[in-house]
Amino acid sequence: MKSFLLEEREQGCLLFTINRPEKRNAVNFDVMDGLSEAINLAKKPGVKTLVITGAGEAAFCSGGDLSVFHQLKTEEEAYGMLSKMSNILYRLLTLPKPTIALMNGTAVGGGCEIAAACDFRVAKKGQKAGFIQGSLAISTGWGGGTILFEKLLAGNALKMLMESRLFQVEELADFGFIDHIYDGDREEVCDSFLRKILSLETDVLSAYKKMLIRKWTVSGLQKRMEEEVRNCAALWEKDVHHELVAKFLERKS
């Protein structure tokens, strides 16, 4: 089964689906490559928006696939993977088209980092999400922590990161992380959320998005994301991280 699906829908909507429901839509290198491909396709003149979601109803994305990435032991090995995904998320963040995380289920760790890199987050009622990386003795490593501080009040971002737990979707809406909570058919909800946005010309949408991108360029966001990657890579190789991941995988087996 293919790890991701790409579909060009009506009104210029490009839909990217992480298609690993048996792994709670965890990210592996194939998913990374697929997201990179989706970002490239979204630059086409006929595409107005990129929507990211997960297959099934249980999970939007459970972060990095630990069964794969636990094989990375050293700081150098971890840096290769972390920097690859960080570069993809920076490209997603600075795509000159509106982007939506259609969060159909739980978002954990790197799944929240992907969601943070999108312009809007539409979440299913009853779901939970959280940056749980701290519980595995690492920090965010794909740039999502840095992005979070760009989008939320500092206190709210710090609470989400430092408590390293799952939050109810209502709490996340109060923090400003979730823009809309839905209950029902997710594609219908997404179409409704996007209706007014997609009624505008693509050049108009891009003009507004570029205002935000200019702000991030001036503030050196990419460099700050790179520092986050390096900090996480240094923590990754520590014994405590590998011990906690091993225990986590044992519980899951």
Side-chain angles (χ1 to χ4, degrees), residues 27-29 32 64-85 136 138 141-142 229 232-243 245-246 249:
V27 174
N28 59 11
F29 288 111
M32 287 185 185
D65 188 340
L66 294 180
S67 66
V68 176
F69 298 150
H70 187 44
Q71 308 305 313
L72 307 174
K73 300 299 184 184
T74 68
E75 179 176 347
E76 183 179 4
E77 289 171 343
Y79 177 79
M81 178 275 291
L82 296 170
S83 62
K84 176 182 174 73
M85 189 60 175
L136 296 175
I138 57 171
W142 289 346
V229 170
C232 182
L235 292 170
W236 189 285
E237 75 170 6
K238 294 183 180 294
D239 290 342
V240 63
H241 168 61
H242 295 297
E243 290 166 3
V245 172
L249 292 174

Side-chain angles (χ1 to χ4, degrees), residues 30-41:
D30 285 341
V31 173
M32 287 185 185
D33 291 340
L35 183 54
S36 181
E37 180 183 341
I39 294 166
N40 288 336
L41 284 175

Side-chain angles (χ1 to χ4, degrees), residues 2-253:
K2 195 170 184 181
S3 295
F4 64 90
L5 303 172
L6 267 172
E7 177 189 357
E8 293 192 43
R9 305 184 71 218
E10 295 178 355
Q11 296 182 299
C13 176
L14 179 64
L15 179 65
F16 175 80
T17 304
I18 305 173
N19 190 38
R20 306 186 75 214
E22 76 288 353
K23 292 284 190 178
R24 296 186 64 79
N25 296 320
V27 174
N28 59 11
F29 288 111
D30 285 341
V31 173
M32 287 185 185
D33 291 340
L35 183 54
S36 181
E37 180 183 341
I39 294 166
N40 288 336
L41 284 175
K43 295 176 181 178
K44 289 170 46 179
V47 176
K48 283 190 173 183
T49 183
L50 172 61
V51 177
I52 299 172
T53 193
E57 298 299 327
F60 167 69
C61 175
S62 59
D65 188 340
L66 294 180
S67 66
V68 176
F69 298 150
H70 187 44
Q71 308 305 313
L72 307 174
K73 300 299 184 184
T74 68
E75 179 176 347
E76 183 179 4
E77 289 171 343
Y79 177 79
M81 178 275 291
L82 296 170
S83 62
K84 176 182 174 73
M85 189 60 175
S86 177
N87 288 333
I88 291 170
L89 288 194
Y90 184 77
R91 288 171 52 219
L92 174 63
L93 184 75
T94 57
L95 179 70
K97 307 277 182 76
T99 56
I100 294 89
L102 182 53
M103 301 167 69
N104 54 297
T106 304
V108 179
C112 282
E113 297 194 55
I114 293 172
C118 293
D119 297 317
F120 304 104
R121 284 153 294 283
V122 176
K124 181 181 177 182
K125 184 178 180 180
Q127 77 156 82
K128 296 180 181 180
F131 294 81
I132 54 84
Q133 290 91 331
S135 65
L136 296 175
I138 57 171
S139 60
T140 51
W142 289 346
T146 302
I147 294 170
L148 196 66
F149 280 111
E150 290 291 315
K151 299 197 172 184
L152 303 189
L153 292 173
N156 291 342
L158 208 57
K159 183 178 179 69
M160 286 184 68
L161 294 170
M162 285 189 168
E163 290 196 1
S164 192
R165 66 177 176 91
L166 296 180
F167 292 84
Q168 297 286 348
V169 67
E170 290 79 11
E171 293 178 275
L172 298 171
D174 289 341
F175 289 160
F177 186 69
I178 299 298
D179 297 289
H180 179 72
I181 300 172
Y182 76 90
D183 187 15
D185 183 273
R186 59 172 148 168
E187 292 188 6
E188 289 181 3
V189 170
C190 187
D191 289 344
S192 176
F193 183 83
L194 288 170
R195 188 168 294 122
K196 289 185 178 179
I197 293 174
L198 296 184
S199 70
L200 300 182
E201 293 296 320
T202 305
D203 288 346
V204 174
L205 297 174
S206 293
Y208 284 133
K209 184 67 182 285
K210 286 175 181 176
M211 293 178 187
L212 192 53
I213 294 169
R214 281 194 290 272
K215 173 195 170 187
W216 289 329
T217 301
V218 170
S219 71
L221 179 60
Q222 189 171 22
K223 181 179 179 180
R224 288 184 281 128
M225 288 174 65
E226 168 66 12
E227 291 172 356
E228 176 182 333
V229 170
R230 292 196 176 277
N231 287 336
C232 182
L235 292 170
W236 189 285
E237 75 170 6
K238 294 183 180 294
D239 290 342
V240 63
H241 168 61
H242 295 297
E243 290 166 3
L244 288 170
V245 172
K247 289 178 181 178
F248 176 81
L249 292 174
E250 285 175 10
R251 291 198 301 269
K252 292 291 184 181
S253 61

